């Protein structure tokens, strides 16, 4: 819900900022301003979630709600994939789950939807990382180009709950 509210506020600010000044200065400042990072996995931003099991509830992982309803796998290897509306430069992620020690999941990204690379949370990929309290966060050392994000269940398939996957990108 926070993501939706932030997106609405940002849209409102941008709309108000565009109401004044001459068109040449407005146009110039738009070209000089880099795009704002946003949740590129969100359904409201074009993200489409699918799953190997319980596909009817796949949308729950990118609906903007970090508590309550969730997606869960059936067997080890089940996964949920979010296809972005286009390729983005991804700078980080937040995974809301009851398995916040990350031994039960693998978070992966792909630039073609077929070949996925796992994020190494504990060494190498995260400039800053936090685990606990139902959330895993990682800000990458280096942005990565991606069209898809995936969470794979590695163990305890019936017990792992995925509430939301937020992917920050531009």
């Amino acid at each position: 819900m926070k993501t939706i509210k932030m997106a609405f506020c940002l849209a409102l600010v941008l709309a108000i900022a565009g109401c004044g000044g001459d068109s040449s200065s407005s146009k110039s400042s738009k070209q000089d301003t880099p795009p704002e990072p946003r949740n590129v996995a969100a359904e409201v931003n074009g993200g489409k979630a699918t799953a190997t099991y319980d596909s009817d509830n796949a949308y729950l992982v990118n609906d903007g709600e970090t508590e309550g309803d969730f997606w869960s796998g059936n067997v080890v290897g089940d996964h949920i994939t979010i296809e972005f509306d286009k390729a983005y430069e991804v700078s980080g992620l937040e995974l809301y789950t009851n398995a916040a020690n990350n031994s039960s999941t693998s978070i992966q990204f792909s630039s073609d939807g077929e070949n996925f690379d796992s994020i190494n949370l504990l060494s190498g990929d995260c400039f800053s990382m936090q685990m606990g309290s139902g959330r895993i966060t990682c800000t990458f050392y280096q942005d990565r180009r991606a069209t898809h994000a995936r969470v794979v269940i590695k163990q305890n398939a019936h017990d792992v709950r995925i509430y939301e996957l937020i992917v920050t990108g531009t």
Side-chain angles (χ1 to χ4, degrees):
M1 198 63 184
K2 290 179 187 176
T3 305
I4 294 170
K5 287 180 184 175
M6 287 179 12
F8 175 76
C9 289
L10 178 61
L12 182 60
V13 168
L14 291 174
I16 292 171
C19 295
D22 68 332
S23 61
S24 63
S25 65
S26 168
K27 186 176 182 181
S28 174
S29 66
K30 277 188 176 184
Q31 291 174 348
D32 297 337
T33 305
E36 288 290 322
R38 64 184 181 135
N39 179 5
V40 299
E43 185 176 40
V44 297
N45 292 329
K48 294 179 184 154
T50 58
T52 54
Y53 174 79
D54 193 19
S55 257
D56 289 344
N57 287 314
Y59 75 94
L60 295 171
V61 303
N62 69 335
D63 66 353
E65 298 293 328
T66 59
E67 298 176 355
D69 293 329
F70 59 89
W71 173 85
S72 185
N74 185 45
V75 297
V76 170
D78 277 342
H79 58 269
I80 188 132
T81 303
I82 300 175
E83 179 181 358
F84 311 146
D85 66 332
K86 65 178 187 173
Y88 289 95
E89 293 299 319
V90 174
S91 59
L93 64 92
E94 289 181 73
L95 177 64
Y96 289 82
T97 177
N98 67 327
N101 65 2
N102 200 46
S103 63
S104 298
T105 61
S106 174
I107 305 166
Q108 304 174 338
F109 286 91
S110 172
S111 61
D112 63 9
E114 293 181 26
N115 301 297
F116 285 82
D117 295 317
S118 293
I119 300 301
N120 189 342
L121 294 171
L122 299 176
S123 60
D125 289 329
C126 301
F127 172 71
S128 67
M129 193 266 310
Q130 294 180 330
M131 286 188 205
S133 300
R135 186 175 82 151
I136 298 170
T137 64
C138 170
T139 302
F140 301 139
Y141 273 110
Q142 184 173 26
D143 290 358
R144 58 190 66 226
R145 191 131 180 98
T147 58
H148 294 74
R150 178 165 73 183
V151 179
V152 180
I153 307 300
K154 297 189 321 187
Q155 61 187 16
N156 306 321
H158 291 285
D159 298 329
V160 175
R161 297 176 179 174
I162 307 298
Y163 295 96
E164 192 76 11
L165 177 60
I166 297 172
V167 178
T168 304
T170 54

